[in-house]
Amino acid sequence: MAKFIGAKTLIELRDLKKNYLLGDVEVPVLKGISMTIHEGTLLALMGPSGGGKSTLMNILGFLDTLSGGQYLLDGKDVSTLSANARADLRNERIGFVFQNFNLLARTSALKNVMMPLEYSKHRGSQKEMRAWAEHLLERVGLKERMDHHPSQMSGGQQQRVAIARALINRPKILFADEPTGNLDSKTSEEVLHMFQELNEKEGITIVLVTHSPEVGAFAKEAYHIKDGLVVDGTY
Ligand code: ADP
Ligand code: MG
């Protein structure tokens, strides 16, 4: 796969390690990951199940902390930030999309999309926030369904609501963990095209976690992760 060249470095990982405590035994899950993520890329994190992709994505997205090594974001060391500082960065810079959508089933699409604004420091008026959420839902093709509940929607529609929600705080980076894992192949393709469009038209950096080579083919570049390490080529 062609490398994405010429852009500035957004994220740099140096020998990143993560151990989980199982009982009183430390189990290494990420064993020294070094990688560069360029601004504006659409990067696939690929590799077999259990290899550490989700663990890595959670650390990159400040949902989890690292056990060793360094994480640089925009040239700043963010390896050892406080929980509050991590939450601020997460809210201001990052959007997430998950395999199981993570929506509130009995709350309207519009309210689901507006939910992250509750935690934002840069809230507008209720009217402005609503207009922005409506714009995003229109953008993902759900103008007519803003008042529907996720429980009344197809998987593809639910994932589009989740994408609109991920965009509400105008993130620079979008992390998507197996975002098409619960979708049929036609719907998957629509969702992947939507990521490509966000990447190309809005310049949002996207990290797509997947074990599927078909999904990985939508990316500009890929890292393959196996047994907690970056490996070359395909697996
Ligand atoms: P992938 O996303 O590539 O399938 P994961 O990052 O989910 O891989 O998991 C990597 C390894 O870490 C697996 O062996 C998994 O069992 C282990 N693991 C993940 N999360 C935890 C946790 N919270 N506690 C203990 N072990 C975990
Ligand atoms: Mg995973």
Side-chain angles (χ1 to χ4, degrees), residues 96-103 137 140 142 150 153-166 176-183 187-188 190-192 194-195:
F96 292 99
V97 176
F98 298 97
Q99 177 169 357
N100 57 5
F101 322 130
N102 286 12
L103 299 169
L137 277 163
V140 298
L142 292 173
M153 292 179 159
S154 70
Q157 289 169 339
Q158 290 183 59
Q159 196 57 304
R160 285 189 274 149
V161 174
I163 292 171
R165 182 186 54 186
D177 195 350
E178 306 275 6
T180 60
N182 288 349
L183 305 178
T187 311
S188 296
E190 285 166 14
V191 164
L192 291 165
M194 199 165 279
F195 283 125

PDB file of all heavy atoms in Angstrom, residues 96-103 137 140 142 150 153-166 176-183 187-188 190-192 194-195:
ATOM      1  N   PHE A  96     -14.984   9.511  18.222  1.00  0.00           N
ATOM      2  CA  PHE A  96     -14.916   8.035  18.200  1.00  0.00           C
ATOM      3  C   PHE A  96     -16.139   7.450  17.504  1.00  0.00           C
ATOM      4  O   PHE A  96     -17.259   7.921  17.699  1.00  0.00           O
ATOM      5  CB  PHE A  96     -14.918   7.470  19.622  1.00  0.00           C
ATOM      6  CG  PHE A  96     -13.687   7.774  20.403  1.00  0.00           C
ATOM      7  CD1 PHE A  96     -13.680   8.810  21.305  1.00  0.00           C
ATOM      8  CD2 PHE A  96     -12.542   7.018  20.233  1.00  0.00           C
ATOM      9  CE1 PHE A  96     -12.547   9.105  22.037  1.00  0.00           C
ATOM     10  CE2 PHE A  96     -11.393   7.297  20.958  1.00  0.00           C
ATOM     11  CZ  PHE A  96     -11.395   8.341  21.865  1.00  0.00           C
ATOM     12  N   VAL A  97     -15.875   6.369  16.767  1.00  0.00           N
ATOM     13  CA  VAL A  97     -16.958   5.561  16.208  1.00  0.00           C
ATOM     14  C   VAL A  97     -16.649   4.111  16.553  1.00  0.00           C
ATOM     15  O   VAL A  97     -15.511   3.660  16.383  1.00  0.00           O
ATOM     16  CB  VAL A  97     -17.036   5.740  14.665  1.00  0.00           C
ATOM     17  CG1 VAL A  97     -18.089   4.833  14.069  1.00  0.00           C
ATOM     18  CG2 VAL A  97     -17.328   7.194  14.317  1.00  0.00           C
ATOM     19  N   PHE A  98     -17.644   3.393  17.083  1.00  0.00           N
ATOM     20  CA  PHE A  98     -17.408   2.020  17.535  1.00  0.00           C
ATOM     21  C   PHE A  98     -18.238   1.012  16.727  1.00  0.00           C
ATOM     22  O   PHE A  98     -19.225   1.374  16.081  1.00  0.00           O
ATOM     23  CB  PHE A  98     -17.770   1.886  19.018  1.00  0.00           C
ATOM     24  CG  PHE A  98     -16.930   2.748  19.912  1.00  0.00           C
ATOM     25  CD1 PHE A  98     -17.384   3.979  20.344  1.00  0.00           C
ATOM     26  CD2 PHE A  98     -15.656   2.342  20.303  1.00  0.00           C
ATOM     27  CE1 PHE A  98     -16.608   4.789  21.173  1.00  0.00           C
ATOM     28  CE2 PHE A  98     -14.867   3.142  21.116  1.00  0.00           C
ATOM     29  CZ  PHE A  98     -15.350   4.363  21.556  1.00  0.00           C
ATOM     30  N   GLN A  99     -17.842  -0.244  16.824  1.00  0.00           N
ATOM     31  CA  GLN A  99     -18.520  -1.304  16.090  1.00  0.00           C
ATOM     32  C   GLN A  99     -20.011  -1.373  16.447  1.00  0.00           C
ATOM     33  O   GLN A  99     -20.859  -1.559  15.581  1.00  0.00           O
ATOM     34  CB  GLN A  99     -17.845  -2.645  16.415  1.00  0.00           C
ATOM     35  CG  GLN A  99     -18.525  -3.838  15.768  1.00  0.00           C
ATOM     36  CD  GLN A  99     -17.695  -5.105  15.876  1.00  0.00           C
ATOM     37  OE1 GLN A  99     -16.572  -5.089  16.382  1.00  0.00           O
ATOM     38  NE2 GLN A  99     -18.236  -6.198  15.403  1.00  0.00           N
ATOM     39  N   ASN A 100     -20.309  -1.242  17.736  1.00  0.00           N
ATOM     40  CA  ASN A 100     -21.712  -1.413  18.170  1.00  0.00           C
ATOM     41  C   ASN A 100     -22.431  -0.071  18.341  1.00  0.00           C
ATOM     42  O   ASN A 100     -23.429   0.004  19.047  1.00  0.00           O
ATOM     43  CB  ASN A 100     -21.763  -2.257  19.435  1.00  0.00           C
ATOM     44  CG  ASN A 100     -20.926  -1.628  20.530  1.00  0.00           C
ATOM     45  OD1 ASN A 100     -20.400  -0.523  20.348  1.00  0.00           O
ATOM     46  ND2 ASN A 100     -20.799  -2.267  21.666  1.00  0.00           N
ATOM     47  N   PHE A 101     -21.913   0.967  17.693  1.00  0.00           N
ATOM     48  CA  PHE A 101     -22.549   2.292  17.582  1.00  0.00           C
ATOM     49  C   PHE A 101     -22.569   3.089  18.901  1.00  0.00           C
ATOM     50  O   PHE A 101     -22.409   4.294  18.899  1.00  0.00           O
ATOM     51  CB  PHE A 101     -23.983   2.205  17.016  1.00  0.00           C
ATOM     52  CG  PHE A 101     -24.161   1.174  15.923  1.00  0.00           C
ATOM     53  CD1 PHE A 101     -25.192   0.247  15.969  1.00  0.00           C
ATOM     54  CD2 PHE A 101     -23.270   1.120  14.858  1.00  0.00           C
ATOM     55  CE1 PHE A 101     -25.334  -0.703  14.961  1.00  0.00           C
ATOM     56  CE2 PHE A 101     -23.421   0.178  13.842  1.00  0.00           C
ATOM     57  CZ  PHE A 101     -24.450  -0.736  13.906  1.00  0.00           C
ATOM     58  N   ASN A 102     -22.790   2.402  20.039  1.00  0.00           N
ATOM     59  CA  ASN A 102     -22.816   3.078  21.355  1.00  0.00           C
ATOM     60  C   ASN A 102     -23.779   4.264  21.413  1.00  0.00           C
ATOM     61  O   ASN A 102     -23.426   5.325  21.919  1.00  0.00           O
ATOM     62  CB  ASN A 102     -21.412   3.564  21.757  1.00  0.00           C
ATOM     63  CG  ASN A 102     -20.522   2.417  22.191  1.00  0.00           C
ATOM     64  OD1 ASN A 102     -20.869   1.248  21.986  1.00  0.00           O
ATOM     65  ND2 ASN A 102     -19.406   2.718  22.797  1.00  0.00           N
ATOM     66  N   LEU A 103     -24.987   4.070  20.878  1.00  0.00           N
ATOM     67  CA  LEU A 103     -26.000   5.129  20.935  1.00  0.00           C
ATOM     68  C   LEU A 103     -26.990   4.817  22.050  1.00  0.00           C
ATOM     69  O   LEU A 103     -27.106   3.664  22.469  1.00  0.00           O
ATOM     70  CB  LEU A 103     -26.760   5.197  19.606  1.00  0.00           C
ATOM     71  CG  LEU A 103     -25.925   5.524  18.359  1.00  0.00           C
ATOM     72  CD1 LEU A 103     -26.749   5.285  17.103  1.00  0.00           C
ATOM     73  CD2 LEU A 103     -25.404   6.946  18.410  1.00  0.00           C
ATOM     74  N   LEU A 137     -26.437  15.803  10.875  1.00  0.00           N
ATOM     75  CA  LEU A 137     -27.333  14.693  10.529  1.00  0.00           C
ATOM     76  C   LEU A 137     -27.739  14.770   9.048  1.00  0.00           C
ATOM     77  O   LEU A 137     -27.859  13.743   8.372  1.00  0.00           O
ATOM     78  CB  LEU A 137     -28.561  14.694  11.442  1.00  0.00           C
ATOM     79  CG  LEU A 137     -28.311  14.003  12.790  1.00  0.00           C
ATOM     80  CD1 LEU A 137     -29.386  14.371  13.803  1.00  0.00           C
ATOM     81  CD2 LEU A 137     -28.255  12.485  12.611  1.00  0.00           C
ATOM     82  N   VAL A 140     -24.902  13.392   6.944  1.00  0.00           N
ATOM     83  CA  VAL A 140     -24.785  11.931   6.851  1.00  0.00           C
ATOM     84  C   VAL A 140     -26.061  11.317   6.267  1.00  0.00           C
ATOM     85  O   VAL A 140     -26.259  10.108   6.315  1.00  0.00           O
ATOM     86  CB  VAL A 140     -24.440  11.280   8.217  1.00  0.00           C
ATOM     87  CG1 VAL A 140     -23.100  11.767   8.739  1.00  0.00           C
ATOM     88  CG2 VAL A 140     -25.542  11.527   9.250  1.00  0.00           C
ATOM     89  N   LEU A 142     -29.383  11.870   7.007  1.00  0.00           N
ATOM     90  CA  LEU A 142     -30.485  11.490   7.905  1.00  0.00           C
ATOM     91  C   LEU A 142     -31.384  12.677   8.266  1.00  0.00           C
ATOM     92  O   LEU A 142     -32.018  12.695   9.314  1.00  0.00           O
ATOM     93  CB  LEU A 142     -29.918  10.850   9.186  1.00  0.00           C
ATOM     94  CG  LEU A 142     -29.243   9.495   8.991  1.00  0.00           C
ATOM     95  CD1 LEU A 142     -28.582   9.039  10.279  1.00  0.00           C
ATOM     96  CD2 LEU A 142     -30.241   8.447   8.524  1.00  0.00           C
ATOM     97  N   PRO A 150     -32.634   5.358  17.682  1.00  0.00           N
ATOM     98  CA  PRO A 150     -31.781   4.327  17.095  1.00  0.00           C
ATOM     99  C   PRO A 150     -32.458   2.953  17.044  1.00  0.00           C
ATOM    100  O   PRO A 150     -32.249   2.192  16.102  1.00  0.00           O
ATOM    101  CB  PRO A 150     -30.555   4.309  18.011  1.00  0.00           C
ATOM    102  CG  PRO A 150     -30.463   5.722  18.486  1.00  0.00           C
ATOM    103  CD  PRO A 150     -31.892   6.174  18.655  1.00  0.00           C
ATOM    104  N   MET A 153     -33.971   2.247  13.810  1.00  0.00           N
ATOM    105  CA  MET A 153     -33.126   2.449  12.627  1.00  0.00           C
ATOM    106  C   MET A 153     -32.361   1.194  12.252  1.00  0.00           C
ATOM    107  O   MET A 153     -32.093   0.340  13.092  1.00  0.00           O
ATOM    108  CB  MET A 153     -32.109   3.559  12.908  1.00  0.00           C
ATOM    109  CG  MET A 153     -32.728   4.923  13.058  1.00  0.00           C
ATOM    110  SD  MET A 153     -31.417   6.114  13.419  1.00  0.00           S
ATOM    111  CE  MET A 153     -32.246   7.607  12.936  1.00  0.00           C
ATOM    112  N   SER A 154     -31.958   1.138  10.965  1.00  0.00           N
ATOM    113  CA  SER A 154     -31.084   0.044  10.512  1.00  0.00           C
ATOM    114  C   SER A 154     -29.676   0.262  11.082  1.00  0.00           C
ATOM    115  O   SER A 154     -29.347   1.363  11.552  1.00  0.00           O
ATOM    116  CB  SER A 154     -31.008   0.040   8.991  1.00  0.00           C
ATOM    117  OG  SER A 154     -30.275   1.166   8.545  1.00  0.00           O
ATOM    118  N   GLY A 155     -28.841  -0.781  10.995  1.00  0.00           N
ATOM    119  CA  GLY A 155     -27.456  -0.675  11.467  1.00  0.00           C
ATOM    120  C   GLY A 155     -26.698   0.446  10.770  1.00  0.00           C
ATOM    121  O   GLY A 155     -25.980   1.219  11.408  1.00  0.00           O
ATOM    122  N   GLY A 156     -26.880   0.544   9.447  1.00  0.00           N
ATOM    123  CA  GLY A 156     -26.175   1.577   8.681  1.00  0.00           C
ATOM    124  C   GLY A 156     -26.597   2.971   9.114  1.00  0.00           C
ATOM    125  O   GLY A 156     -25.765   3.875   9.240  1.00  0.00           O
ATOM    126  N   GLN A 157     -27.906   3.131   9.355  1.00  0.00           N
ATOM    127  CA  GLN A 157     -28.393   4.444   9.815  1.00  0.00           C
ATOM    128  C   GLN A 157     -27.844   4.763  11.206  1.00  0.00           C
ATOM    129  O   GLN A 157     -27.440   5.889  11.482  1.00  0.00           O
ATOM    130  CB  GLN A 157     -29.926   4.457   9.828  1.00  0.00           C
ATOM    131  CG  GLN A 157     -30.526   4.460   8.428  1.00  0.00           C
ATOM    132  CD  GLN A 157     -32.021   4.207   8.437  1.00  0.00           C
ATOM    133  OE1 GLN A 157     -32.574   3.659   9.377  1.00  0.00           O
ATOM    134  NE2 GLN A 157     -32.678   4.601   7.349  1.00  0.00           N
ATOM    135  N   GLN A 158     -27.816   3.739  12.071  1.00  0.00           N
ATOM    136  CA  GLN A 158     -27.279   3.970  13.425  1.00  0.00           C
ATOM    137  C   GLN A 158     -25.816   4.389  13.357  1.00  0.00           C
ATOM    138  O   GLN A 158     -25.380   5.283  14.086  1.00  0.00           O
ATOM    139  CB  GLN A 158     -27.425   2.707  14.277  1.00  0.00           C
ATOM    140  CG  GLN A 158     -28.863   2.388  14.632  1.00  0.00           C
ATOM    141  CD  GLN A 158     -28.967   1.176  15.533  1.00  0.00           C
ATOM    142  OE1 GLN A 158     -28.406   1.156  16.622  1.00  0.00           O
ATOM    143  NE2 GLN A 158     -29.671   0.164  15.072  1.00  0.00           N
ATOM    144  N   GLN A 159     -25.056   3.743  12.454  1.00  0.00           N
ATOM    145  CA  GLN A 159     -23.643   4.103  12.377  1.00  0.00           C
ATOM    146  C   GLN A 159     -23.493   5.528  11.834  1.00  0.00           C
ATOM    147  O   GLN A 159     -22.586   6.259  12.245  1.00  0.00           O
ATOM    148  CB  GLN A 159     -22.854   3.077  11.553  1.00  0.00           C
ATOM    149  CG  GLN A 159     -21.349   3.139  11.738  1.00  0.00           C
ATOM    150  CD  GLN A 159     -20.900   2.964  13.186  1.00  0.00           C
ATOM    151  OE1 GLN A 159     -21.332   3.704  14.083  1.00  0.00           O
ATOM    152  NE2 GLN A 159     -20.060   1.987  13.437  1.00  0.00           N
ATOM    153  N   ARG A 160     -24.395   5.950  10.963  1.00  0.00           N
ATOM    154  CA  ARG A 160     -24.323   7.320  10.464  1.00  0.00           C
ATOM    155  C   ARG A 160     -24.655   8.334  11.562  1.00  0.00           C
ATOM    156  O   ARG A 160     -24.057   9.406  11.619  1.00  0.00           O
ATOM    157  CB  ARG A 160     -25.210   7.483   9.230  1.00  0.00           C
ATOM    158  CG  ARG A 160     -24.531   6.811   8.022  1.00  0.00           C
ATOM    159  CD  ARG A 160     -25.226   7.124   6.741  1.00  0.00           C
ATOM    160  NE  ARG A 160     -26.330   6.203   6.483  1.00  0.00           N
ATOM    161  CZ  ARG A 160     -27.435   6.535   5.815  1.00  0.00           C
ATOM    162  NH1 ARG A 160     -27.592   7.779   5.369  1.00  0.00           N
ATOM    163  NH2 ARG A 160     -28.369   5.644   5.592  1.00  0.00           N
ATOM    164  N   VAL A 161     -25.586   7.979  12.441  1.00  0.00           N
ATOM    165  CA  VAL A 161     -25.850   8.839  13.610  1.00  0.00           C
ATOM    166  C   VAL A 161     -24.578   8.933  14.451  1.00  0.00           C
ATOM    167  O   VAL A 161     -24.172  10.020  14.896  1.00  0.00           O
ATOM    168  CB  VAL A 161     -27.014   8.286  14.476  1.00  0.00           C
ATOM    169  CG1 VAL A 161     -27.166   9.114  15.751  1.00  0.00           C
ATOM    170  CG2 VAL A 161     -28.316   8.261  13.692  1.00  0.00           C
ATOM    171  N   ALA A 162     -23.920   7.790  14.649  1.00  0.00           N
ATOM    172  CA  ALA A 162     -22.702   7.767  15.466  1.00  0.00           C
ATOM    173  C   ALA A 162     -21.596   8.614  14.828  1.00  0.00           C
ATOM    174  O   ALA A 162     -20.827   9.271  15.535  1.00  0.00           O
ATOM    175  CB  ALA A 162     -22.228   6.326  15.670  1.00  0.00           C
ATOM    176  N   ILE A 163     -21.533   8.621  13.503  1.00  0.00           N
ATOM    177  CA  ILE A 163     -20.529   9.448  12.819  1.00  0.00           C
ATOM    178  C   ILE A 163     -20.862  10.937  13.022  1.00  0.00           C
ATOM    179  O   ILE A 163     -19.982  11.745  13.329  1.00  0.00           O
ATOM    180  CB  ILE A 163     -20.437   9.092  11.315  1.00  0.00           C
ATOM    181  CG1 ILE A 163     -19.851   7.680  11.156  1.00  0.00           C
ATOM    182  CG2 ILE A 163     -19.584  10.107  10.555  1.00  0.00           C
ATOM    183  CD1 ILE A 163     -19.905   7.125   9.742  1.00  0.00           C
ATOM    184  N   ALA A 164     -22.136  11.283  12.896  1.00  0.00           N
ATOM    185  CA  ALA A 164     -22.538  12.680  13.140  1.00  0.00           C
ATOM    186  C   ALA A 164     -22.190  13.076  14.576  1.00  0.00           C
ATOM    187  O   ALA A 164     -21.665  14.167  14.825  1.00  0.00           O
ATOM    188  CB  ALA A 164     -24.034  12.852  12.881  1.00  0.00           C
ATOM    189  N   ARG A 165     -22.440  12.173  15.517  1.00  0.00           N
ATOM    190  CA  ARG A 165     -22.110  12.468  16.921  1.00  0.00           C
ATOM    191  C   ARG A 165     -20.595  12.659  17.093  1.00  0.00           C
ATOM    192  O   ARG A 165     -20.148  13.549  17.831  1.00  0.00           O
ATOM    193  CB  ARG A 165     -22.597  11.327  17.830  1.00  0.00           C
ATOM    194  CG  ARG A 165     -22.328  11.589  19.310  1.00  0.00           C
ATOM    195  CD  ARG A 165     -22.673  10.388  20.179  1.00  0.00           C
ATOM    196  NE  ARG A 165     -21.981   9.200  19.690  1.00  0.00           N
ATOM    197  CZ  ARG A 165     -22.173   7.973  20.166  1.00  0.00           C
ATOM    198  NH1 ARG A 165     -23.049   7.782  21.137  1.00  0.00           N
ATOM    199  NH2 ARG A 165     -21.512   6.953  19.663  1.00  0.00           N
ATOM    200  N   ALA A 166     -19.821  11.837  16.393  1.00  0.00           N
ATOM    201  CA  ALA A 166     -18.355  11.936  16.511  1.00  0.00           C
ATOM    202  C   ALA A 166     -17.838  13.274  15.976  1.00  0.00           C
ATOM    203  O   ALA A 166     -16.740  13.694  16.331  1.00  0.00           O
ATOM    204  CB  ALA A 166     -17.699  10.778  15.768  1.00  0.00           C
ATOM    205  N   ALA A 176     -12.008   5.083  14.523  1.00  0.00           N
ATOM    206  CA  ALA A 176     -13.144   4.196  14.256  1.00  0.00           C
ATOM    207  C   ALA A 176     -12.688   2.752  14.471  1.00  0.00           C
ATOM    208  O   ALA A 176     -11.804   2.265  13.772  1.00  0.00           O
ATOM    209  CB  ALA A 176     -13.643   4.394  12.835  1.00  0.00           C
ATOM    210  N   ASP A 177     -13.260   2.091  15.477  1.00  0.00           N
ATOM    211  CA  ASP A 177     -12.854   0.719  15.821  1.00  0.00           C
ATOM    212  C   ASP A 177     -13.822  -0.293  15.216  1.00  0.00           C
ATOM    213  O   ASP A 177     -14.948  -0.415  15.679  1.00  0.00           O
ATOM    214  CB  ASP A 177     -12.814   0.561  17.352  1.00  0.00           C
ATOM    215  CG  ASP A 177     -12.059  -0.706  17.769  1.00  0.00           C
ATOM    216  OD1 ASP A 177     -11.744  -1.543  16.888  1.00  0.00           O
ATOM    217  OD2 ASP A 177     -11.781  -0.849  18.970  1.00  0.00           O
ATOM    218  N   GLU A 178     -13.389  -0.968  14.160  1.00  0.00           N
ATOM    219  CA  GLU A 178     -14.218  -1.940  13.432  1.00  0.00           C
ATOM    220  C   GLU A 178     -15.597  -1.339  13.127  1.00  0.00           C
ATOM    221  O   GLU A 178     -16.630  -1.939  13.433  1.00  0.00           O
ATOM    222  CB  GLU A 178     -14.382  -3.235  14.256  1.00  0.00           C
ATOM    223  CG  GLU A 178     -13.078  -3.885  14.716  1.00  0.00           C
ATOM    224  CD  GLU A 178     -12.436  -4.805  13.679  1.00  0.00           C
ATOM    225  OE1 GLU A 178     -12.936  -4.863  12.532  1.00  0.00           O
ATOM    226  OE2 GLU A 178     -11.419  -5.441  14.010  1.00  0.00           O
ATOM    227  N   PRO A 179     -15.633  -0.151  12.493  1.00  0.00           N
ATOM    228  CA  PRO A 179     -16.915   0.553  12.355  1.00  0.00           C
ATOM    229  C   PRO A 179     -17.916  -0.157  11.456  1.00  0.00           C
ATOM    230  O   PRO A 179     -19.099   0.152  11.500  1.00  0.00           O
ATOM    231  CB  PRO A 179     -16.517   1.900  11.732  1.00  0.00           C
ATOM    232  CG  PRO A 179     -15.257   1.605  11.004  1.00  0.00           C
ATOM    233  CD  PRO A 179     -14.537   0.586  11.837  1.00  0.00           C
ATOM    234  N   THR A 180     -17.442  -1.110  10.644  1.00  0.00           N
ATOM    235  CA  THR A 180     -18.365  -1.812   9.750  1.00  0.00           C
ATOM    236  C   THR A 180     -18.554  -3.262  10.180  1.00  0.00           C
ATOM    237  O   THR A 180     -19.143  -4.056   9.461  1.00  0.00           O
ATOM    238  CB  THR A 180     -17.858  -1.765   8.293  1.00  0.00           C
ATOM    239  OG1 THR A 180     -16.564  -2.401   8.234  1.00  0.00           O
ATOM    240  CG2 THR A 180     -17.723  -0.335   7.791  1.00  0.00           C
ATOM    241  N   GLY A 181     -18.073  -3.584  11.381  1.00  0.00           N
ATOM    242  CA  GLY A 181     -18.119  -4.970  11.868  1.00  0.00           C
ATOM    243  C   GLY A 181     -19.526  -5.535  11.998  1.00  0.00           C
ATOM    244  O   GLY A 181     -19.711  -6.752  11.916  1.00  0.00           O
ATOM    245  N   ASN A 182     -20.522  -4.663  12.193  1.00  0.00           N
ATOM    246  CA  ASN A 182     -21.895  -5.140  12.329  1.00  0.00           C
ATOM    247  C   ASN A 182     -22.757  -4.794  11.115  1.00  0.00           C
ATOM    248  O   ASN A 182     -23.981  -4.822  11.198  1.00  0.00           O
ATOM    249  CB  ASN A 182     -22.557  -4.531  13.582  1.00  0.00           C
ATOM    250  CG  ASN A 182     -22.000  -5.131  14.865  1.00  0.00           C
ATOM    251  OD1 ASN A 182     -21.277  -6.119  14.831  1.00  0.00           O
ATOM    252  ND2 ASN A 182     -22.317  -4.523  15.988  1.00  0.00           N
ATOM    253  N   LEU A 183     -22.114  -4.451   9.997  1.00  0.00           N
ATOM    254  CA  LEU A 183     -22.881  -3.999   8.825  1.00  0.00           C
ATOM    255  C   LEU A 183     -22.694  -4.948   7.650  1.00  0.00           C
ATOM    256  O   LEU A 183     -21.646  -5.582   7.512  1.00  0.00           O
ATOM    257  CB  LEU A 183     -22.416  -2.594   8.414  1.00  0.00           C
ATOM    258  CG  LEU A 183     -22.455  -1.516   9.508  1.00  0.00           C
ATOM    259  CD1 LEU A 183     -21.911  -0.200   8.955  1.00  0.00           C
ATOM    260  CD2 LEU A 183     -23.869  -1.332  10.058  1.00  0.00           C
ATOM    261  N   THR A 187     -23.737  -1.682   2.966  1.00  0.00           N
ATOM    262  CA  THR A 187     -23.784  -0.598   3.961  1.00  0.00           C
ATOM    263  C   THR A 187     -22.375  -0.243   4.420  1.00  0.00           C
ATOM    264  O   THR A 187     -22.052   0.927   4.629  1.00  0.00           O
ATOM    265  CB  THR A 187     -24.647  -1.034   5.165  1.00  0.00           C
ATOM    266  OG1 THR A 187     -25.870  -1.567   4.666  1.00  0.00           O
ATOM    267  CG2 THR A 187     -24.939   0.116   6.080  1.00  0.00           C
ATOM    268  N   SER A 188     -21.527  -1.263   4.579  1.00  0.00           N
ATOM    269  CA  SER A 188     -20.132  -1.015   4.961  1.00  0.00           C
ATOM    270  C   SER A 188     -19.480  -0.062   3.986  1.00  0.00           C
ATOM    271  O   SER A 188     -18.791   0.885   4.372  1.00  0.00           O
ATOM    272  CB  SER A 188     -19.315  -2.312   4.948  1.00  0.00           C
ATOM    273  OG  SER A 188     -19.786  -3.193   5.902  1.00  0.00           O
ATOM    274  N   GLU A 190     -20.825   2.122   2.028  1.00  0.00           N
ATOM    275  CA  GLU A 190     -21.352   3.492   2.164  1.00  0.00           C
ATOM    276  C   GLU A 190     -20.679   4.216   3.329  1.00  0.00           C
ATOM    277  O   GLU A 190     -20.299   5.385   3.224  1.00  0.00           O
ATOM    278  CB  GLU A 190     -22.862   3.451   2.401  1.00  0.00           C
ATOM    279  CG  GLU A 190     -23.663   3.124   1.151  1.00  0.00           C
ATOM    280  CD  GLU A 190     -25.117   2.764   1.465  1.00  0.00           C
ATOM    281  OE1 GLU A 190     -25.575   3.014   2.606  1.00  0.00           O
ATOM    282  OE2 GLU A 190     -25.776   2.199   0.576  1.00  0.00           O
ATOM    283  N   VAL A 191     -20.549   3.500   4.444  1.00  0.00           N
ATOM    284  CA  VAL A 191     -19.938   4.104   5.632  1.00  0.00           C
ATOM    285  C   VAL A 191     -18.462   4.419   5.358  1.00  0.00           C
ATOM    286  O   VAL A 191     -17.968   5.497   5.709  1.00  0.00           O
ATOM    287  CB  VAL A 191     -20.119   3.177   6.852  1.00  0.00           C
ATOM    288  CG1 VAL A 191     -19.183   3.557   7.986  1.00  0.00           C
ATOM    289  CG2 VAL A 191     -21.569   3.225   7.327  1.00  0.00           C
ATOM    290  N   LEU A 192     -17.777   3.514   4.680  1.00  0.00           N
ATOM    291  CA  LEU A 192     -16.357   3.738   4.390  1.00  0.00           C
ATOM    292  C   LEU A 192     -16.172   4.910   3.422  1.00  0.00           C
ATOM    293  O   LEU A 192     -15.232   5.705   3.567  1.00  0.00           O
ATOM    294  CB  LEU A 192     -15.715   2.459   3.838  1.00  0.00           C
ATOM    295  CG  LEU A 192     -15.606   1.345   4.883  1.00  0.00           C
ATOM    296  CD1 LEU A 192     -15.307  -0.002   4.228  1.00  0.00           C
ATOM    297  CD2 LEU A 192     -14.550   1.669   5.941  1.00  0.00           C
ATOM    298  N   MET A 194     -18.081   7.426   3.346  1.00  0.00           N
ATOM    299  CA  MET A 194     -18.314   8.616   4.166  1.00  0.00           C
ATOM    300  C   MET A 194     -17.019   9.023   4.896  1.00  0.00           C
ATOM    301  O   MET A 194     -16.671  10.198   4.950  1.00  0.00           O
ATOM    302  CB  MET A 194     -19.422   8.309   5.160  1.00  0.00           C
ATOM    303  CG  MET A 194     -20.060   9.524   5.747  1.00  0.00           C
ATOM    304  SD  MET A 194     -21.605   9.083   6.549  1.00  0.00           S
ATOM    305  CE  MET A 194     -22.704   9.012   5.152  1.00  0.00           C
ATOM    306  N   PHE A 195     -16.293   8.034   5.416  1.00  0.00           N
ATOM    307  CA  PHE A 195     -15.001   8.336   6.057  1.00  0.00           C
ATOM    308  C   PHE A 195     -14.033   8.931   5.037  1.00  0.00           C
ATOM    309  O   PHE A 195     -13.336   9.911   5.340  1.00  0.00           O
ATOM    310  CB  PHE A 195     -14.383   7.072   6.668  1.00  0.00           C
ATOM    311  CG  PHE A 195     -15.016   6.650   7.966  1.00  0.00           C
ATOM    312  CD1 PHE A 195     -15.521   5.368   8.132  1.00  0.00           C
ATOM    313  CD2 PHE A 195     -15.116   7.527   9.041  1.00  0.00           C
ATOM    314  CE1 PHE A 195     -16.114   4.983   9.321  1.00  0.00           C
ATOM    315  CE2 PHE A 195     -15.701   7.149  10.238  1.00  0.00           C
ATOM    316  CZ  PHE A 195     -16.199   5.870  10.381  1.00  0.00           C
TER     317      PHE A 195
END
